[in-house]
Amino acid sequence: MNTFTVPPYRIKMVEPIKQTTYQDRKEYLEKAHNNLFLLPSEAVYIDLLTDSGTGAMSHFQWAALMQGDESYAGSKSFYRFEEAVKDITGYEYIIPVHQGRGAEQVVMPLLAKQPGMYFISNMHFDTTRAHVELAGATAIDCVVDECFNVDTFSPFKGNMNVEKCEKYIKDLGRENIAGIIMTMTNNSAGGQPVSLENLREVHALTQKYDISLIIDGARFAENSCFVKQREKGYESSEIKDIAREMFDYADIFLMSAKKDALVNIGGLIAIKEDKEFFQECQGRTVPYEGFPTYGGLAGRDMEALAVGLKEGLDEDYLIHRLDQVRYLSEKLREAGVPVQYPAGGHAVFVDCKSICPHIPFDHFPAQSVCNALYLEAGVRTVEVGSFLLGRDPKTGQNIESPFEWMRLAIPRRTYTYAHLDHVAEGVINVYKKRKELKGLDFDYEPKVLRHFTANLRYI
Ligand SMILES: *Cc1c(COP(=O)(O)O)cnc(C)c1O
């Protein structure tokens, strides 16, 4: 029986959304050249493109916005924000930035002190990888093998393969490792959590070799809730205490606040105790983000962030949040739709390689399923597969992705279980018609990040 958790909130303000007809959607999709990124949002009924910055704020956050102090330097809002981050992390030095990648552009070049260094991570998120490479370093992913067993339950598929990680450190030389990054939850692996036991082992490794440990913690609260639900010894811990233990193991915390801090824009850098490094970060924040007490944010954004950070750790909220994702995932599994199992914290991943074995990777089976779901139900999702991956820069050939996913990302506090039922029904209907789906090819292919703006046609 697929039960559900009732929400720990009620709705006080509504944003009307409108279902379109099949005929409307056909026209919208044609005008968007069969690329869902090119749809105007009014053409979309339920938008599961991303969970980043798309959540609903509480009345406390909206009230806090009114208290925004827009002083250029030393604003009251900064101090409230700083206090909130210190309270959660226990770290000494806090800098606001405009979003997660703002933190990355400030921090990565400071860690990669000379050209040719390496970052080792359980898995680098796309923008993190981009900033590692822009800093002249190489990004190495070192996630546990369980991560790739799509339909076998494992509680912490986001964990680092610690043995392999240590081997990399030895082989490459400790002096060439710029930092170890733990992405929690592991976004690119579908929001799979990392256990505290694993983090403890990684921490021991960074102590042994004297390497900085960085938490890329956009979803640190969801990760903490998974720890409470799945890790022995934490069943009766407070979420906040689990998060604090997690921060105790690291030196630097980078966050895209558009996820677990429940705001539409924002990010932060928190540094445990290294004052010199903090000063270097401040120095880079000024030209790239803004003066270090606003970092590209309005005072009101820092107010909303300070409140959202605390709300994001509320256990009732988190249980409901994770349960929405699990609920949708279970509905699809019960109908035989192949999905990544167990579901992660923020999204359901549908395995389109096995749904459409008749479409070769370079005709983008997952994109075909995403488009079909839009036509069927007005639901927008995103392809995570060979369309996203692009071409080999040397040979110019399309790279075959190991997975062809349709990702259904669930915005926070935004949709009801009834909306998710509508989504599930749409996916199941598309699944039934899977043999009729056709592959796609390019009408226009941009050279970089092609998936955002490419034009496609059916073949
Ligand atoms: C979203 C995200 C980022 C980048 O943050 P933006 O706010 O989108 O710039 C970095 N790391 C992880 C793990 C993320 O989920």
Side-chain angles (χ1 to χ4, degrees):
M1 233 315 255
N2 195 358
T3 55
F4 59 81
T5 308
V6 287
Y9 50 81
R10 58 181 171 179
I11 296 162
K12 139 136 81 183
M13 188 190 283
V14 294
E15 177 183 356
I17 49 175
K18 198 166 180 298
Q19 180 59 301
T20 48
T21 65
Y22 179 83
Q23 195 50 40
D24 291 338
R25 293 195 287 276
K26 240 180 119 205
E27 285 166 23
Y28 274 127
L29 191 60
E30 265 164 37
K31 263 195 223 148
H33 303 280
N34 299 305
N35 182 347
L36 300 173
F37 276 106
L38 302 181
L39 285 176
S41 68
E42 66 172 7
V44 177
Y45 179 46
I46 295 178
D47 206 345
L48 307 187
L49 188 68
T50 177
D51 66 317
S52 178
T54 53
M57 293 208 296
S58 68
H59 62 184
F60 295 114
Q61 288 178 289
W62 282 106
L65 283 181
M66 300 302 292
Q67 298 176 53
D69 171 0
E70 306 305 339
S71 303
Y72 190 93
S75 98
K76 294 195 273 296
S77 304
F78 167 75
Y79 294 112
R80 276 193 280 269
F81 154 81
E82 185 190 43
E83 183 58 39
V85 183
K86 282 186 171 180
D87 180 50
I88 286 167
T89 58
Y91 287 10
E92 193 69 34
Y93 304 109
I94 318 295
I95 303 173
V97 288
H98 83 282
Q99 61 184 85
R101 64 201 72 182
E104 289 161 357
Q105 73 168 344
V106 168
V107 166
M108 296 314 173
L110 293 173
L111 291 169
K113 292 194 181 68
Q114 73 251 5
M117 293 186 85
Y118 297 86
F119 284 89
I120 307 174
S121 176
N122 53 342
M123 215 179 253
H124 293 83
F125 178 65
D126 317 11
T127 59
T128 320
R129 176 178 293 272
H131 280 291
V132 162
E133 288 169 1
L134 284 168
T138 302
I140 298 174
D141 288 345
C142 204
V143 75
V144 290
D145 293 339
E146 292 96 293
C147 180
F148 302 103
N149 301 333
V150 173
D151 47 15
T152 315
F153 183 91
S154 178
F156 293 104
K157 288 186 174 183
N159 279 354
M160 177 80 96
N161 183 333
V162 178
E163 236 169 75
K164 205 162 139 191
C165 180
E166 181 160 23
K167 187 162 185 313
Y168 274 122
I169 298 172
K170 284 184 181 154
D171 290 353
L172 298 168
R174 180 257 151 258
E175 65 286 359
N176 294 316
I177 311 295
I180 294 193
I181 304 173
M182 289 300 279
T183 311
M184 304 176 68
T185 60
N186 185 344
N187 184 349
S188 310
Q192 296 291 328
V194 173
S195 71
L196 283 191
E197 184 187 14
N198 186 252
L199 186 63
R200 213 174 291 129
E201 287 171 13
V202 174
H203 169 71
L205 211 58
T206 57
Q207 292 291 103
K208 180 171 166 190
Y209 292 95
D210 190 24
I211 299 171
S212 297
L213 176 51
I214 302 114
I215 288 181
D216 182 5
R219 299 179 182 80
F220 78 95
E222 290 167 9
N223 200 98
S224 302
C225 191
F226 275 125
V227 166
K228 174 156 182 154
Q229 292 174 345
R230 297 183 183 171
E231 188 164 352
K232 260 206 191 71
Y234 293 95
E235 303 82 356
S236 43
S237 302
E238 299 278 337
I239 301 283
K240 190 167 181 277
D241 295 337
I242 295 174
R244 176 58 78 93
E245 182 177 342
M246 173 179 140
F247 292 123
D248 284 347
Y249 295 129
D251 304 297
I252 300 167
F253 167 42
L254 308 180
M255 181 181 195
S256 165
K258 300 172 73 173
K259 286 71 173 241
D260 277 1
L262 295 163
V263 285
N264 305 115
I265 196 74
L268 64 92
I269 301 167
I271 296 155
K272 189 189 258 164
E273 57 199 7
D274 186 341
K275 185 169 180 186
E276 204 178 309
F277 186 73
F278 164 63
Q279 287 167 335
E280 287 178 339
C281 286
Q282 279 193 317
R284 276 183 68 83
T285 300
V286 177
Y288 287 107
E289 294 289 300
F291 187 77
T293 63
Y294 78 86
L297 294 176
R300 56 180 170 271
D301 294 329
M302 292 189 279
E303 295 281 356
L305 213 170
V307 177
L309 262 180
K310 295 197 170 158
E311 288 182 3
L313 283 168
D314 178 74
E315 185 169 348
D316 291 339
Y317 151 73
L318 282 167
I319 289 173
H320 173 259
R321 158 83 181 143
L322 298 184
D323 190 65
Q324 278 206 319
V325 181
R326 182 210 55 80
Y327 173 83
L328 177 59
S329 167
E330 277 312 297
K331 275 220 132 178
L332 299 182
R333 258 164 63 84
E334 280 168 9
V337 179
V339 294
Q340 181 201 52
Y341 178 74
H346 67 283
V348 175
F349 283 64
V350 176
D351 174 9
C352 299
K353 200 175 190 166
S354 59
I355 292 182
C356 292
H358 60 288
I359 303 177
F361 79 93
D362 53 356
H363 292 307
F364 316 132
Q367 184 65 29
S368 177
V369 177
C370 292
N371 286 359
L373 177 62
Y374 172 69
L375 288 176
E376 176 73 28
V379 177
R380 173 157 68 175
T381 55
V382 69
E383 190 259 17
V384 181
S386 299
F387 178 41
L388 175 90
L389 202 54
R391 291 178 187 271
D392 185 318
K394 288 196 191 100
T395 65
Q397 296 298 307
N398 277 307
I399 310 169
E400 179 168 5
S401 167
F403 297 109
E404 305 291 348
W405 298 117
M406 169 169 72
R407 185 184 83 171
L408 304 112
I410 314 294
R412 293 167 182 79
R413 303 193 292 206
T414 301
Y415 293 115
T416 65
Y417 284 92
H419 289 117
L420 299 181
D421 282 343
H422 173 83
V423 171
E425 190 183 309
V427 176
I428 292 163
N429 287 341
V430 168
Y431 181 65
K432 286 180 185 150
K433 296 182 212 163
R434 60 192 180 276
K435 295 204 173 92
E436 297 159 31
L437 300 186
K438 291 192 170 66
L440 295 142
D441 209 343
F442 290 103
D443 264 343
Y444 158 64
E445 182 182 357
K447 286 212 164 53
V448 286
L449 297 173
R450 64 184 187 181
H451 57 290
F452 288 126
T453 50
N455 296 349
L456 298 167
R457 69 184 139 78
Y458 283 95
I459 50 161

